[in-house]
Amino acid sequence: MREMKNLLLVLHTPSDNTQRLAEVAKSATQLADIDNVTVIVKIPLQTQVEDVLKADAIIIGTTENFGYMAGLTKDFFERIYYPVLEQKQGLPVACYIRAGLDGTGSKRAVESIVTGLRWRWIQPPLVLKGEWSSAFDEQVAELTMAVCAGLSLNIL
């Protein structure tokens, strides 16, 4: 029997489109047809230190606001940073950024914090930029299924 793993989704959803991406991510965890990964879905404001400490991997979904990650995503990082710093080094992490412009500032900010935490990127942050596209759904689903599969198979 394979060891149970915990995947934490920290998803900022201030709009209909970002709520849609969160639903896609949640659905993708079920589509992956994996029985040894438990998925915990939280918004940044509700995510606590204990949630991160229990996680075997994390996916962060944020918006780009004023050329930076969403304030609530930053708040999440500020609250958990020092309490998890020593215990969660190497935590596999993925991120998607919904950016109306180019996402550069948000991507750089998230990468900087993740580097400081010493977490391990599963892949570079996925930047969903420009006008809304239904292709974003597929990209978020693929990212989420890949993380689920990697956790299930002990690749991550």
Side-chain angles (χ1 to χ4, degrees), residues 85-101:
L85 181 61
E86 296 302 320
Q87 297 177 61
K88 295 308 285 188
Q89 292 181 19
L91 179 69
V93 62
C95 176
Y96 67 83
I97 300 165
R98 175 61 191 114
L101 298 175

Side-chain angles (χ1 to χ4, degrees), residues 9 13 21 23 30 35-36 39 43 55 64 66 75-76 78 82 86 110-111 117 127 129-130 144 151 153 155:
L9 305 179
T13 59
L21 292 175
E23 293 301 323
Q30 296 164 357
D35 59 3
N36 68 322
V39 180
I43 61 172
E64 173 186 65
F66 308 111
D75 172 77
F76 156 72
E78 288 174 348
Y82 289 108
E86 296 302 320
V110 171
E111 287 174 330
L117 284 164
V127 180
K129 63 182 171 181
T144 306
L151 264 183
L153 297 170
I155 295 172

Side-chain angles (χ1 to χ4, degrees), residues 15-84:
S15 69
D16 290 343
N17 287 337
T18 53
Q19 181 62 47
R20 177 177 166 167
L21 292 175
E23 293 301 323
V24 165
K26 287 187 266 187
S27 295
T29 64
Q30 296 164 357
L31 291 174
D33 195 28
I34 294 169
D35 59 3
N36 68 322
V37 176
T38 301
V39 180
I40 299 98
V41 182
K42 299 238 177 160
I43 61 172
L45 192 58
Q46 294 175 341
T47 308
Q48 302 298 317
V49 169
E50 296 78 26
D51 298 314
V52 178
L53 291 174
K54 292 177 188 173
D56 295 301
I58 186 169
I59 297 175
I60 298 166
T62 188
T63 54
E64 173 186 65
N65 297 341
F66 308 111
Y68 196 74
M69 77 178 96
L72 289 177
T73 304
K74 184 175 182 288
D75 172 77
F76 156 72
F77 280 125
E78 288 174 348
R79 286 183 294 103
I80 62 94
Y81 192 93
Y82 289 108
V84 306

